[in-house]
Amino acid sequence: QAQLVQSGGGLVQAGGSLRLSCAASGFTFKDYAMGWFRQAPGKEREFVAVISRSTIKQFYAESVKDRFTVSRDNAVNTLALQMNDLKPEDKAIYYCAATENRTPTTVEGYDYWGQGTQVTVSS
């Protein structure tokens, strides 16, 4: 069955960088747009970034634009999120997700989800 396994994350000081990875299996990766979401304590899960099937299109939440970069490698079925200049407000559990839709930015638009990985940014 479809599976998304995340790695990366951890603790970093403000201004630092982290890279998250998401390995896909059980479905045809290249046929799915891929997204990143995050959920802070007490808040709803929110959109972070999405990349189209062919990598041509990427969209970002305003709060992470110019700091985060989403990428994918369809040859090895992996998705990545490079996070630079991290801020304390970026602290959250980050989730990767897959969708057969184009490039949705809502939770409801996605079919498969990773297990989540914690990102903590100290000030």
Side-chain angles (χ1 to χ4, degrees), residues 47 49-52 54-60 69-71 103:
F47 168 75
V50 61
I51 186 167
S52 64
S54 63
T55 77
I56 291 176
K57 296 182 179 180
Q58 298 109 46
F59 300 105
Y60 297 91
T69 302
V70 60
S71 62
T103 50

Side-chain angles (χ1 to χ4, degrees), residues 3-6 22 45 94-98 112-117:
Q3 192 172 18
L4 296 173
V5 178
Q6 297 180 225
C22 175
R45 195 169 298 188
Y94 284 70
Y95 298 88
C96 63
Y112 309 128
W113 291 85
Q115 82 276 17
T117 186

Side-chain angles (χ1 to χ4, degrees), residues 7-75:
S7 59
L11 172 64
V12 66
Q13 288 188 329
S17 298
L18 283 174
R19 184 177 179 87
L20 306 182
S21 295
C22 175
S25 62
F27 62 99
T28 306
F29 182 72
K30 66 179 179 63
D31 292 339
Y32 284 69
M34 297 296 296
W36 287 99
F37 287 75
R38 66 186 182 186
Q39 188 166 17
K43 295 188 176 181
E44 294 189 351
R45 195 169 298 188
E46 65 174 7
F47 168 75
V48 173
V50 61
I51 186 167
S52 64
R53 300 176 184 90
S54 63
T55 77
I56 291 176
K57 296 182 179 180
Q58 298 109 46
F59 300 105
Y60 297 91
E62 283 297 321
S63 59
V64 306
K65 196 173 291 185
D66 299 326
R67 299 188 297 121
F68 290 13
T69 302
V70 60
S71 62
R72 66 188 293 165
D73 187 340
N74 288 344

